[in-house]
Amino acid sequence: MSSRRPDPLAQVSDFDIRLLRIFRSVVECGGFSAAETVLGIGRSAISQQMSDLEQRLGLRLCQRGRAGFSLTEEGREVYQSALQLLSALESFRTEVNGLHQHLRGELIIGLTDNLVTLPHMRITHALAQLKERGPDVQIQIRMIAPNEVEQGVLDGRLHVGVVPQASALSGLEYQPLYSERSLLYCAIGHPLFYVDDKQLDDQRLNSQDAIAPTFRLPADIQAHYQALNCTASASDREGMAFLILTGRYIGYLPDHYASLWVQQGRLRALKAGTRFYDLSLASVTRKGRRPHLVLESFLESLAATR
């Protein structure tokens, strides 16, 4: 007789799918504690359900303890397989929903940080219209760096994203939304904060410690940073704001994002008449994507608010 161990996962139940969704969230959040807010359940409950999944699969998926959270080799493979399974389930649900022409399902959207302060926030209006048309639609917003937004759309983790428009990546489609103006700022406590613009020549400005973004930008905008003495970097605009507010760096921020600090007297723009750039923001979707009624409805609403 064969002593081969029976397959621990002879069939995939609804319970298994629920555990895999929790597992996906834990991995994407980087651990149990960080996933508590996203999942709306406590760490002990998450730990128990991860133990249930490991027992169900007969595999050790992750290491947790004082050294922090990390996936095992088996855990990485299960995560990739789970992404494929959950994506296939969502595609099936979307296609069936499309037969009924009733909006159900989910929209996962990745956004560059600090767009909500734009006066003409079209994303907000489009999401409101989507929710009105499909009350049962589940919306997930992920605030991540622009490079991660594009990668997330490419690999299917995101349905749509909004990013600064640089050179187009192969496999993605871009639709311009609006532009925002960025000015060069310093904070109170910086040596230039009380210096009149007339006394600020380019040499003095360009010699100050400055911040550069690590996300992709058009070549003409990169030139603004190349002129500065960039000794620090940040993956997003909030990180740049943190450094500027130390009073030790100068850097570019969108004027709508900086306006509250300007009103409070904590920031000032340096030579606003010449030290600025306008950056276009665009929605990004994957080329050749499968029909997705929720996504198409959102994109229609986004286009209608122009």
Side-chain angles (χ1 to χ4, degrees):
M1 295 179 60
S2 172
S3 60
R4 180 179 180 273
R5 193 176 75 171
D7 184 354
L9 197 63
Q11 61 181 4
V12 178
S13 66
D14 289 343
F15 179 65
D16 294 322
I17 293 172
R18 179 173 178 273
L19 293 180
L20 288 171
R21 290 186 187 278
I22 293 173
F23 176 56
R24 178 183 66 179
S25 294
V26 169
V27 174
E28 291 178 353
C29 290
F32 292 3
S33 297
E36 286 182 288
T37 302
V38 172
L39 294 171
I41 58 177
R43 181 175 177 177
S44 60
I46 295 173
S47 179
Q48 179 59 54
Q49 292 181 81
M50 286 299 91
S51 295
D52 290 344
L53 180 60
E54 288 178 329
Q55 184 175 3
R56 182 83 173 113
L57 298 178
L59 297 169
R60 181 73 169 174
L61 300 179
C62 59
Q63 304 291 342
R64 55 263 203 192
R66 293 183 179 179
F69 174 87
S70 63
L71 288 177
T72 63
E73 187 62 32
E74 293 81 4
R76 282 190 286 271
E77 293 185 15
V78 170
Y79 173 65
Q80 293 301 322
S81 297
L83 289 180
Q84 295 175 22
L85 171 62
L86 296 175
S87 177
L89 287 172
E90 179 56 25
S91 294
F92 173 79
R93 181 169 61 173
T94 297
E95 290 171 6
V96 172
N97 288 340
L99 296 176
H100 299 282
Q101 288 297 299
H102 182 68
L103 284 182
R104 289 176 181 166
E106 64 181 356
L107 177 72
I108 308 176
I109 177 172
L111 298 180
T112 301
D113 64 316
N114 302 308
L115 292 180
V116 73
T117 49
L118 272 169
H120 47 288
M121 175 40 75
R122 289 168 46 195
I123 298 171
T124 301
H125 303 324
L127 288 173
Q129 292 177 15
L130 177 65
K131 190 63 176 175
E132 182 178 355
R133 183 178 172 187
D136 296 329
V137 170
Q138 298 179 6
I139 299 172
Q140 294 185 38
I141 293 181
R142 299 181 183 174
M143 305 301 297
I144 49 182
N147 298 348
E148 295 179 41
V149 172
E150 291 175 308
Q151 186 56 49
V153 174
L154 272 174
D155 62 26
R157 288 181 291 116
L158 302 174
H159 295 126
V160 60
V162 176
V163 296
Q165 191 165 9
S167 56
L169 293 182
S170 176
L172 295 179
E173 294 179 342
Y174 298 79
Q175 292 296 327
L177 293 178
Y178 35 60
S179 67
E180 62 180 9
R181 174 157 293 191
S182 289
L183 304 176
L184 185 61
Y185 291 96
C186 73
I188 190 167
H190 192 278
L192 301 185
F193 190 79
Y194 292 109
V195 178
D196 189 273
D197 276 353
K198 294 178 181 178
Q199 300 175 349
L200 288 177
D201 56 34
D202 288 342
Q203 183 177 0
R204 188 173 184 185
L205 270 180
N206 295 344
S207 65
Q208 304 296 317
D209 284 329
I211 309 153
T214 58
F215 50 86
R216 298 186 315 117
L217 289 169
D220 59 330
I221 291 178
Q222 290 177 10
H224 287 270
Y225 291 96
Q226 291 167 354
L228 299 175
N229 178 35
C230 293
T231 59
S233 63
S235 64
D236 51 52
R237 282 97 66 89
E238 186 170 1
M240 299 177 76
F242 266 112
L243 289 170
I244 295 170
L245 288 166
T246 66
R248 298 296 181 267
Y249 298 90
I250 63 174
Y252 286 96
L253 291 175
D255 56 3
H256 62 86
Y257 177 45
S259 63
L260 180 60
W261 290 309
V262 173
Q263 294 171 20
Q264 294 172 343
R266 298 180 62 190
L267 287 183
R268 65 157 289 201
L270 301 168
K271 305 194 75 169
T274 57
R275 292 297 181 116
F276 69 87
Y277 62 80
D278 295 318
L279 177 63
S280 294
L281 291 139
S283 64
V284 56
T285 53
R286 186 171 57 183
K287 289 181 180 178
R289 61 184 181 275
R290 283 190 167 195
H292 188 298
L293 189 58
V294 173
L295 173 58
E296 302 310 323
S297 298
F298 173 72
L299 294 176
E300 288 174 9
S301 297
L302 202 56
T305 58
R306 290 180 183 175

